[in-house]
Amino acid sequence: MNTFDSLQLQLRNGETTCEQITESYLNQIEQKRHLNVFRSLFAELAMERARAVDKKLSNNTAGQLAGMVIAIKDVINIKEHPTTCGSKILENFISPYDATIVKKLQDADAIIIGKTNMDEFAMGSSTENSAYGVVLNPIDETRVPGGSSGGSAVAVAANLSRTSLGSDTGGSIRQPASFCRIVGLKPTYGRVSRFGLVAFASSFDQIGPFASCVRDVAHVLNVIAGHDERDSTSANIPVPNYLEKLTGNVQGLRIGLPKEYFADELDAEIRNAIMQKVELLKQHGAEVKEISLPHTEYTIAVYYILTTAEASSNLARYDGARYGYRSPYAIDLPSMYVKSRSEGFGQEVKRRIMLGTYVLSAGYYDAYYRKAQRVRRLIKQDFDNAFKDVDCLITPVSPTTAFKFGEKMEDPLQMYLSDIYTVSANLAGIPSLSLSCGNDHQGLPIGLQILGKQFDEETVLRIGDFLERC
Ligand code: GLN
């Protein structure tokens, strides 16, 4: 397999250079412009970096990600570059600072090639909510790449960068990974610093990697994970070397299949593809049992109440006064707020701000927001109970494979329901890996999700790596 390990070997043996690698990605990007993956491209900067890293390689001072060309979702700040979040309201915004993970990647000698298109403020499941046009799925260009990190998923799937970073609030890394036949990890809440990640729903958001294989995900996680003083929710828990944990051994692992995620309505092709992999795990010594997550039926409702509430508060800062778009039609302060926000935000973002404002408003707060908080706890407890008996859970990623453009845009509820299997990991704050496990009758990839205990990324990665090797 073409892993980053083999590339590093080639670099060390002088068979290739960072300059050549970067140039070839830039050529690919040029050829695949119509996919609309990049919001900004750092062609010259990346080439400069590549040459600098080549020098370091020649005198043995290069960092652990030397040769890793990576794309970053346009919701993560890079100093002196635009961050649009896929929104018109941030069209001309230039970040004055670097996200912590950007610094970490640079310190490790990764080469950041550009920033990727996304659903506006990461709200969506298809990348159709970007103010800058849709991203095409390279597997079938009439279909969505998933979302909201559609650009980052396609960057890897179309070979425009080796890896990429996305953000996942309710599935935005895992679902596009599965729609594009690649791997995506949402780490435990607190595992990766959110400093410099533009907030959507702060108690859910987490940054994570996309790659074409689990080993490459581990390479990136090794660098971006860890405590950060500038993110008070980041955890001060030691980071293992994830690569060392990919032993290929699943003997004795206890795997749970939540019965609510395999209900009768589940598409037969998706069920069969997943069960084949589960069989493989069994054959290699894993123990598989059915478990129950009794509050599953509430996950979508709870997720959409809490994330819209948090979003309505987080997005209050885009007011036309401090930064971002200001309406030229304003005549006084109130009209500046109203017009800047009305003209700057897209339809889905406005819908969520209104929903969130509603569930937080006096008189409805107890009925919606407070109640949803309580149910979130019950959902978390479901997982805690399950993890007393098993080491991880396996489920589908999405109820369908990649759908056609426009198919769900008229019906927001339909779009929300497509998040049914992914939002629970964010509600519970647990890590979750998405990888491909087969194709449907149309040749579209089917995703398999592995959920683990808090801070147990190593087990979900180990299982994912095992499945890739089989
Ligand atoms: N599709 C989900 C939503 O629209 C998840 C988005 C995300 O993870 N950023 O909220």
Side-chain angles (χ1 to χ4, degrees), residues 26 44 72 89 95 110 135 225 287 354 370 382 402 420 431 459 465:
L26 287 169
E44 270 170 37
I72 309 252
I89 213 159
S95 173
V135 177
E287 195 188 305
M354 286 188 278
R370 192 191 302 277
D382 280 355
I420 182 110
T459 299
D465 172 63

Side-chain angles (χ1 to χ4, degrees), residues 434-470:
S434 160
L435 77 169
S436 202
C437 66
N439 293 324
D440 71 2
H441 63 283
Q442 304 184 90
L444 298 169
I446 296 172
L448 176 149
Q449 175 172 232
I450 309 166
L451 300 141
K453 297 176 190 168
Q454 279 188 324
F455 298 100
D456 191 15
E457 279 77 7
E458 56 186 77
T459 299
V460 301
L461 292 172
R462 170 152 61 101
I463 299 169
D465 172 63
F466 165 85
L467 289 174
E468 270 180 2
R469 294 190 201 192
C470 285

Side-chain angles (χ1 to χ4, degrees), residues 122-125 148 167-172 200 303-304 352 419:
M123 297 175 187
S125 310
S148 64
S167 65
D168 190 311
T169 303
S172 277
F200 160 11
Y303 171 82
Y304 276 95
R352 304 234 186 163
D419 301 332

Side-chain angles (χ1 to χ4, degrees), residues 92-261:
N92 297 313
F93 175 73
I94 307 286
S95 173
Y97 71 104
D98 276 325
T100 297
I101 53 107
V102 165
K103 281 221 182 87
K104 286 188 166 189
L105 288 172
Q106 285 168 345
D107 289 347
D109 285 333
I111 296 161
I112 299 176
I113 198 151
K115 300 188 74 185
T116 58
N117 201 353
M118 55 181 280
D119 280 306
E120 185 175 6
F121 285 105
M123 297 175 187
S125 310
S126 65
T127 318
E128 292 169 286
N129 294 333
S130 169
Y132 304 99
V134 298
V135 177
L136 310 188
N137 188 327
I139 297 168
D140 174 348
E141 294 183 4
T142 67
R143 291 176 189 273
V144 304
S148 64
S149 316
S152 287
V154 175
V156 174
N159 204 24
L160 312 181
S161 63
R162 171 164 281 276
T163 56
S164 61
L165 290 185
S167 65
D168 190 311
T169 303
S172 277
I173 292 174
R174 291 160 285 156
Q175 181 253 25
S178 95
F179 279 16
C180 294
R181 199 180 280 123
I182 58 170
V183 186
L185 174 76
K186 182 203 89 74
T188 306
Y189 185 78
R191 180 79 293 187
V192 175
S193 167
R194 289 183 299 114
F195 180 77
L197 167 71
V198 177
F200 160 11
S202 313
S203 76
F204 293 74
D205 302 339
Q206 196 52 199
I207 293 171
F210 287 97
S212 54
C213 61
V214 173
R215 285 196 69 84
D216 284 12
V217 164
H219 274 287
V220 177
L221 188 64
N222 271 350
V223 169
I224 64 172
H227 182 236
D228 178 12
E229 276 174 0
R230 286 182 292 188
D231 171 5
S232 60
T233 61
S234 91
N236 202 349
I237 294 177
V239 181
N241 180 344
Y242 294 105
L243 286 164
E244 283 172 4
K245 307 291 176 182
L246 306 180
T247 57
N249 183 3
V250 293
Q251 182 76 37
L253 261 180
R254 298 165 308 161
I255 295 170
L257 301 179
K259 64 171 192 238
E260 293 80 4
Y261 287 61

